[in-house]
Amino acid sequence: MALGVLALLGLKDAGGPVKADTIEEKAGVCASCHGANGVPTAKNIPIIWGQTEGYLYLQLRDFKKGARQNEVMSQIASTLEKDDMKALAAYFAQKTWPVLDQPAASDEVTRIAKTVNSSVQCTSCHLERFQGNSTVPRLAGQSHDYLVKTTAEFRNGVRGNNPGMTSLMKATPEDDLVKVSTYLAGLAGSY
Amino acid sequence: MADPRRYHLSTTMLAAAFAMALSGPGYSEEIKSATKFGDLSSVTQDLLTHASSDSSNFLHTNGDYGQSRFYPNSQINTTNVAKLRPAWIFQTEVKESLETSPIIVNGIMYVTTSFSHVYALNARTGEEIWHYAHKMGPITTFCCGPNNRGVAVADNLVYVATLDAHLVALDAHTGKTVWDKEVADPEEGYSETMAPTVAKGKVLIGTNGGEYGIRGFVKAFDAKTGNLVWTFNTVPENSVGVWAEKDLTGRDMHRDIAAEKAALAKLGDPYKTLGGGVWQNPAVDLETNRIYFVVGNPSPDLDGASRPGDNLYTDSLVSVDLDTGKYICHQQYISHDVWDLDAVSPPVITQVADKDGKPVKGILHAGKTGHLYVHDAKDCSLIRFSEAMVPQENMWALPTKEGARMLPGANGGVEWSPIATDPKQGLAYAINLHQPMTYSVESSAYPSGKLWLGGAFKVIPTEEQWGNVTAVDYNTGKIRWQVKTAQPMIGGILATAGGLVFTGEGNGLFKAYSSENGSLLWQFQAGAGVNAPPSSYSVDGQQYIVVGAGGNTQLDYKRGNAIMAFTIN
């Protein structure tokens, strides 16, 4: 389906330029998956509206470099120049983070997530209530299925663009990571 | 000490010229605010040099060039400290970790917050004079919170180093930018949280980034123009060293030297990505024209496989020439560190007894290992090390795949928190953590500016954590007194001529102890973690103690946004 979408959007395959000029047009290309109102169109697609600017830029850079790989995003990023990436990052960072309809975690899941946090000190980087800053992403209220997927992929090495996060995920039991994802997804709203 | 009025006329005129050049007709207003709030333009080299006997200002991050953190005013003392009350509380716009050391110049206070904001306040009332909100670049990479530890002052400029690795000079009257230079590229993992130091027309600054595979440095910039004067790379091109098998206290570190030599032959010298951040201010010795600083951990923190050798000058005390940045001497605490038990707390210059009891110029450094190290300033060599201030167990167990328990945990001992000293008593005061952790290793290639730990340190959630305040006799290495605290300690401590030490805790308690015997004489609940180093000053003959209460990101202590000044009235 993914490549079909690209074709629909008028994107050429790997290497072709994004056929859009203004930043709005360029960003419009992203809406079919990341949502016209910031709510992603599928559960395993991450929220990028209101995500931290430095982080968004580095992900696009890494998709293009190949340090992070994903069939769809690698192809899209391959068409972007550094200035486009910076502009897109700035554009999406100043949007409002959308609220997904995700339940708050149960007390038991919350307890486990807090134990993981006190052990690995996630909030020493992701900051209070997982709001993130600059190159460290916001996690609070991120799409649940995406969080489960990406923490597992840090852990098993499929996502290789941050060995530090890989080490920390390896140091945390896989089951706990799913619970942490549930907890994070349920932290809605900004604080 | 110089009479500040002597400098008044000329510096005010200078300031006027400056203001005119910058903002044209606006200058007359700035002069007015200068007279209203005191003479803002009198931070001469003379004042900076003699700060240790200045009982009204607080001119350096750690009090004076020697970084003694001993404040020579005794108006607030053991007999009256029980009557200490809040004079004012200023709320910053930023509610995050506060690690600022307030600087006070003739009744004006400069404080910083997380994300590199700077405030100028009226030190008597807490009223805001100006606020500088740094326009942060899109990329910042920092490991332990968006902290800032304060400003440096000289002439009519205020210097701050920012999270996006810039060094900025602000007009002390207005907070307007005079110059702004990139210190290093944040996309490669460089960031700034430390306060700069100014000496003899140079602004000295180190860097963070030991968690990101940087090549560390100390740089000197021209104080007037911001032009780079020199760079000292904390990692030399030959970083291999002497294959030390023992740490500086003589304990075996279980290095596999044969494997390291094989790795060196295969990989070459790892100096380009070896880390070696400098987190805290250098001590400055104007008599010998030397500076002394400590260098942080090698990158990646826990995995030594890709970085054979001693990894010079990581985990070391280093001295260089103030004018040229040329190497003078070093002493490494832990060669080929794989525990991140690095050197971060700022060194102190003070007179110490050498091995024969003879007085010599010494350097003190409190390590994450929990030892206070005493060096000879002449050649950096070790004179002695103190008894351990926290439990040490299983040292030096190598990190494993599953995680090996060893004490102290990776935060120390003594973290970045500056120590204080009382030269008359020959005591150094250090605040410590006890936070049991496991150390695990996991190899990965250099990720160009991304987080690169080479494993993980994990707090063991079932084990008790606590902290302490420890007074060490640096002439003998013996602990004089020790007080346990409910939580691991991070922030800093101040000693005063009033026979007191002041330090705060993560639970919001700010306390005064007798510096002689550690008895608790006063405490105040600040409502958020007091995890910043206190300063002291006086205005109109009245002494104040000031401290930030903003909690701490690294240890997740309750955040706040208060700068609190206390006095007796």
Side-chain angles (χ1 to χ4, degrees):
Chain A
M1 87 89 190
L3 292 176
V5 172
L6 293 189
L8 262 178
L9 289 166
L11 287 174
K12 293 237 294 285
D13 283 353
V18 172
K19 285 196 192 125
D21 294 324
T22 67
I23 181 68
E24 275 80 14
E25 281 172 333
K26 285 196 178 103
V29 172
C30 323
S32 59
C33 296
H34 292 285
N37 55 0
V39 178
T41 54
K43 290 198 161 179
N44 60 358
I45 300 176
I47 293 174
I48 60 171
W49 278 41
Q51 184 53 285
T52 56
E53 184 178 345
Y55 176 73
L56 289 174
Y57 163 68
L58 289 182
Q59 298 314 301
L60 293 171
R61 184 198 72 178
D62 289 355
F63 280 127
K64 179 164 180 159
K65 269 202 329 198
R68 179 173 177 183
Q69 286 174 0
N70 174 270
E71 197 185 354
V72 181
M73 282 310 302
S74 301
Q75 188 148 4
I76 289 173
S78 71
T79 68
L80 299 170
E81 295 306 322
K82 189 167 175 168
D83 286 348
D84 300 329
M85 297 182 197
K86 290 211 154 145
L88 284 165
Y91 176 83
F92 284 111
Q94 40 137 306
K95 296 275 185 195
T96 306
W97 182 274
V99 179
L100 306 188
D101 195 14
Q102 299 182 129
S106 68
D107 290 352
E108 177 60 7
V109 167
T110 300
R111 190 186 61 75
I112 290 164
K114 288 194 165 159
T115 305
V116 169
N117 185 34
S118 68
S119 170
V120 181
Q121 300 175 312
C122 318
T123 43
S124 77
C125 298
H126 288 282
L127 302 186
E128 222 186 359
R129 296 179 189 260
F130 295 90
Q131 297 295 300
N133 181 257
S134 192
T135 57
V136 181
R138 171 176 171 155
L139 306 177
Q142 181 56 282
S143 165
H144 175 267
D145 291 11
Y146 170 73
L147 286 171
V148 172
K149 173 171 184 274
T150 209
T151 49
E153 288 183 351
F154 270 134
R155 201 171 193 281
N156 65 25
V158 168
R159 181 167 173 183
N161 69 330
N162 198 296
M165 272 303 303
T166 293
S167 300
L168 296 172
M169 296 294 96
K170 282 203 173 159
T172 310
E174 212 163 356
D175 285 359
D176 284 2
L177 284 182
V178 175
K179 296 193 173 92
V180 169
S181 298
T182 304
Y183 169 77
L184 293 170
L187 290 175
S190 300
Y191 297 88
Chain B
M1 200 190 70
D3 173 7
R5 272 168 309 175
R6 236 178 65 206
Y7 303 93
H8 185 88
L9 190 66
S10 61
T11 46
T12 304
M13 277 162 58
L14 207 138
F18 231 110
M20 200 131 76
L22 284 173
S23 53
Y27 80 95
S28 56
E29 200 186 296
E30 281 144 22
I31 295 308
K32 223 171 77 206
S33 69
T35 44
K36 182 172 165 201
F37 294 109
D39 180 10
L40 298 173
S41 311
S42 59
V43 188
T44 59
Q45 183 59 50
D46 204 41
L47 272 185
L48 289 171
T49 304
H50 296 107
S52 65
S53 54
D54 186 338
S55 58
S56 51
N57 298 314
F58 201 92
L59 298 174
H60 300 273
T61 314
N62 296 307
D64 49 64
Y65 278 132
Q67 313 208 110
S68 72
R69 287 202 148 266
F70 178 80
Y71 199 66
N73 196 323
S74 59
Q75 197 180 84
I76 299 170
N77 57 49
T78 50
T79 65
N80 63 15
V81 68
K83 298 197 203 107
L84 203 58
R85 301 284 177 266
W88 51 259
I89 298 172
F90 175 76
Q91 298 201 69
T92 70
E93 257 176 43
V94 185
K95 184 178 161 243
E96 244 306 340
S97 215
L98 267 180
E99 297 188 351
T100 189
S101 284
I103 296 292
I104 297 93
V105 183
N106 294 333
I108 309 292
M109 179 183 300
Y110 302 97
V111 293
T112 63
T113 70
S114 276
F115 304 108
S116 323
H117 291 240
V118 185
Y119 288 89
L121 307 175
N122 179 329
R124 193 188 318 133
T125 62
E127 249 179 292
E128 179 178 322
I129 300 170
W130 52 255
H131 169 199
Y132 170 77
H134 182 66
K135 195 179 173 308
M136 200 67 75
I139 309 274
T140 59
T141 26
F142 52 89
C143 87
C144 312
N147 300 306
N148 189 281
R149 299 199 195 88
V151 302
V153 289
D155 286 332
N156 57 347
L157 296 180
V158 172
Y159 302 92
V160 65
T162 64
L163 214 52
D164 56 354
H166 282 236
L167 181 63
V168 183
L170 304 172
D171 183 317
H173 295 70
T174 62
K176 294 216 171 72
T177 305
V178 174
W179 53 257
D180 178 336
K181 301 278 172 177
E182 187 176 85
V183 178
D185 185 354
E187 209 170 316
E188 288 172 20
Y190 294 90
S191 66
E192 295 293 347
T193 55
M194 70 182 278
T197 294
V198 188
K200 287 173 66 186
K202 287 185 233 6
V203 191
L204 306 170
I205 193 78
T207 181
N208 309 336
E211 280 61 44
Y212 297 89
I214 59 149
R215 183 181 184 195
F217 54 72
V218 172
K219 291 187 180 185
F221 292 86
D222 183 274
K224 284 271 169 295
T225 63
N227 293 334
L228 182 66
V229 181
W230 54 254
T231 300
F232 173 80
N233 290 308
T234 56
V235 178
E237 281 179 33
N238 183 344
S239 66
V240 172
V242 297
W243 306 103
E245 298 198 38
K246 294 182 170 157
D247 76 356
L248 195 55
T249 68
R251 276 169 286 195
D252 194 327
M253 295 180 296
H254 306 118
R255 284 173 72 176
D256 184 344
I257 304 281
E260 282 186 49
K261 285 186 170 161
L264 182 68
K266 198 167 130 221
L267 306 168
D269 196 299
Y271 73 95
K272 281 188 184 140
T273 57
L274 196 51
V278 175
W279 286 84
Q280 286 280 42
N281 304 62
V284 178
D285 183 352
L286 290 174
E287 280 172 17
T288 57
N289 216 39
R290 294 174 174 195
I291 64 169
Y292 296 84
F293 52 88
V294 288
V295 181
N297 60 282
S299 299
D301 300 44
L302 292 139
D303 175 25
S306 64
R307 48 173 173 85
D310 291 354
N311 304 150
L312 297 178
Y313 302 109
T314 65
D315 291 35
S316 302
L317 171 72
V318 177
S319 177
V320 306
D321 183 279
L322 171 59
D323 290 333
T324 62
K326 289 246 156 56
Y327 169 91
I328 292 167
C329 60
H330 85 279
Q331 179 70 260
Q332 193 170 38
Y333 299 105
I334 303 166
S335 306
H336 195 79
D337 175 14
V338 287
W339 304 272
D340 191 16
L341 282 180
D342 59 340
V344 270
S345 175
V348 175
I349 305 174
T350 190
Q351 185 175 296
V352 303
D354 74 1
K355 284 190 175 124
D356 309 318
K358 231 176 48 254
V360 293
K361 191 181 281 180
I363 308 290
L364 310 178
H365 164 66
K368 278 193 185 173
T369 54
H371 295 293
L372 180 85
Y373 300 91
V374 182
H375 302 260
D376 190 328
K378 190 166 73 282
D379 57 4
C380 297
S381 64
L382 185 73
I383 295 173
R384 69 179 61 83
F385 59 93
S386 74
E387 297 176 69
M389 298 181 277
V390 289
Q392 298 174 326
E393 279 174 36
N394 211 13
M395 268 164 110
W396 295 101
L398 294 174
T400 59
K401 268 233 130 35
E402 304 70 37
R405 179 179 177 278
M406 184 183 95
L407 299 183
N411 290 326
V414 182
E415 241 289 355
W416 56 268
S417 318
I419 62 170
T421 57
D422 186 327
K424 287 212 187 69
Q425 303 189 62
L427 293 180
Y429 306 93
I431 60 170
N432 282 271
L433 303 93
H434 170 71
Q435 206 184 22
M437 290 195 191
T438 58
Y439 294 85
S440 63
V441 61
E442 152 84 25
S443 286
S444 58
Y446 169 66
S448 37
K450 290 287 188 76
L451 188 63
W452 197 28
L453 300 174
F457 359 82
K458 277 180 71 178
V459 174
I460 304 170
T462 49
E463 288 198 41
E464 203 200 347
Q465 303 182 20
W466 42 263
N468 70 46
V469 186
T470 307
V472 176
D473 182 336
Y474 50 75
N475 293 316
T476 63
K478 293 270 181 292
I479 291 175
R480 176 74 60 84
W481 57 258
Q482 191 165 55
V483 178
K484 196 169 169 180
T485 58
Q487 290 169 301
M489 294 284 281
I490 197 162
I493 184 163
L494 177 75
T496 74
L500 299 169
V501 290
F502 290 90
T503 187
E505 299 174 23
N507 55 17
L509 288 173
F510 183 45
K511 293 179 176 171
Y513 302 90
S514 154
S515 60
E516 195 191 340
N517 59 30
S519 56
L520 179 66
L521 299 178
W522 174 81
Q523 68 176 30
F524 179 87
Q525 174 51 257
V530 180
N531 304 112
S535 303
S536 184
Y537 62 97
S538 65
V539 193
D540 297 339
Q542 183 155 356
Q543 188 187 358
Y544 297 76
I545 304 289
V546 60
V547 75
N552 183 270
T553 314
Q554 192 176 346
L555 299 182
D556 206 11
Y557 290 147
K558 191 175 169 210
R559 311 301 202 281
N561 65 342
I563 304 293
M564 298 188 177
F566 299 88
T567 193
I568 290 173
N569 52 19

